[in-house]
Amino acid sequence: MVNPAANDSTNVSLGKFKVGGYAYAAPLGTALPTDSESALDPAFQIIGYLSEDGITNTTDTNTTEVKDANGTTVMKVISSYAESYKFMLIEFLRKAAAQLRYGDNAVTGADKKMTIKHQMPDDTPVSLVFEIVATGNVKDRIVIGSSTRSEFGDRQMHSSDVLGYDITVAANDMGDGVTSIEYIGIPKG
C-alpha cells in the first residue's frame, strides 16, 4: 500500500499524444466528452498532426490590490482570468486543418486539393479535444468547449521548415467561468 503522505514516483509522467489521432475539432454545440475514455461524438473530426512543440496552455490573470490608509496591502484578489492554447497544425494539406485556421467558409475542396481564401479571420467558436497518454497508459483528455481563433503565427515557406498553421485559440467560458476541462483516468480493464 502506498503511503498518501509520501512522494510517489508513479505520479510523475511524460505526456505523449495518442497514436492514431489526438487533435479534434467539432462545431459548437456538439456533445462534449465527460470523461477520459468514452468515444467522441462523430461530429469531432481529426485536425491532424501537431508540430513537435505540442500544445502550450497559457493563463492570464489580473489582480486587484486593496490598500489601507497607510498604503499597506491588506488584500490581493484575482480579478480576471483567461486561458489560451497555442499549437501548430502540420498537416498543411488536410482540409480540416485549413478550416480551423481560416474558417469553414474560406476553404473549399478536399484534402490535397483545396482553395483557401485568405481573409478576415473567422471568429465562429469551435469545440476542441486533445488526447494525451501519460506514463503508465493514463489518459489525459483536454476539452475546450468553446474556442475562438485569437492569434496566428507567421508562416514561412522554404525547404527546411514544415508548412503548417500556427494558431492560438482563446478558451471561452463554457459556463460557470470554466474555460476548459481536463479529464485524467486510467482506462478500465
Side-chain angles (χ1 to χ4, degrees):
M1 178 184 228
V2 175
N3 177 355
N7 293 337
D8 181 356
S9 64
T10 64
N11 287 327
V12 177
S13 184
L14 299 175
K16 293 188 175 189
F17 288 90
K18 187 181 97 176
V19 175
Y22 50 76
Y24 303 87
L28 188 68
T30 301
L32 300 174
T34 58
D35 60 31
S36 65
E37 64 181 76
S38 61
L40 292 176
D41 185 289
F44 279 96
Q45 59 180 318
I46 291 176
I47 53 176
Y49 286 116
L50 302 181
S51 75
E52 66 182 337
D53 293 332
I55 301 168
T56 300
N57 175 220
T58 303
T59 57
D60 181 21
T61 57
N62 289 316
T63 57
T64 299
E65 287 187 6
V66 177
K67 297 184 181 206
D68 72 1
N70 294 325
T72 303
T73 299
V74 295
M75 181 171 51
K76 189 172 188 176
V77 296
I78 296 173
S79 55
S80 69
Y81 175 85
E83 185 175 32
S84 64
Y85 289 83
K86 178 180 172 43
F87 50 91
M88 183 173 180
L89 297 165
I90 60 172
E91 284 195 46
F92 177 73
L93 302 176
R94 184 182 284 269
K95 181 180 179 184
Q99 287 177 312
L100 186 61
R101 164 55 180 93
Y102 293 100
D104 289 352
N105 295 332
V107 182
T108 57
D111 291 358
K112 300 179 184 170
K113 186 176 173 88
M114 296 176 275
T115 300
I116 302 171
K117 295 177 185 172
H118 294 228
Q119 58 193 23
M120 175 69 84
D122 184 350
D123 61 358
T124 302
V126 297
S127 297
L128 296 172
V129 171
F130 297 104
E131 298 196 326
I132 299 161
V133 180
T135 304
N137 201 33
V138 176
K139 289 189 76 177
D140 181 4
R141 179 180 273 172
I142 299 169
V143 178
I144 309 165
S146 174
S147 69
T148 48
R149 299 156 192 89
S150 61
E151 293 180 37
F152 306 98
D154 294 337
R155 193 168 133 201
Q156 294 187 2
M157 296 172 263
H158 53 82
S159 64
S160 62
D161 274 343
V162 68
L163 294 173
Y165 307 112
D166 187 349
I167 303 170
T168 300
V169 297
N172 303 320
D173 185 359
M174 298 168 54
D176 296 326
V178 175
T179 51
S180 64
I181 300 175
E182 188 167 3
Y183 298 103
I184 300 171
I186 299 172
K188 295 175 186 167

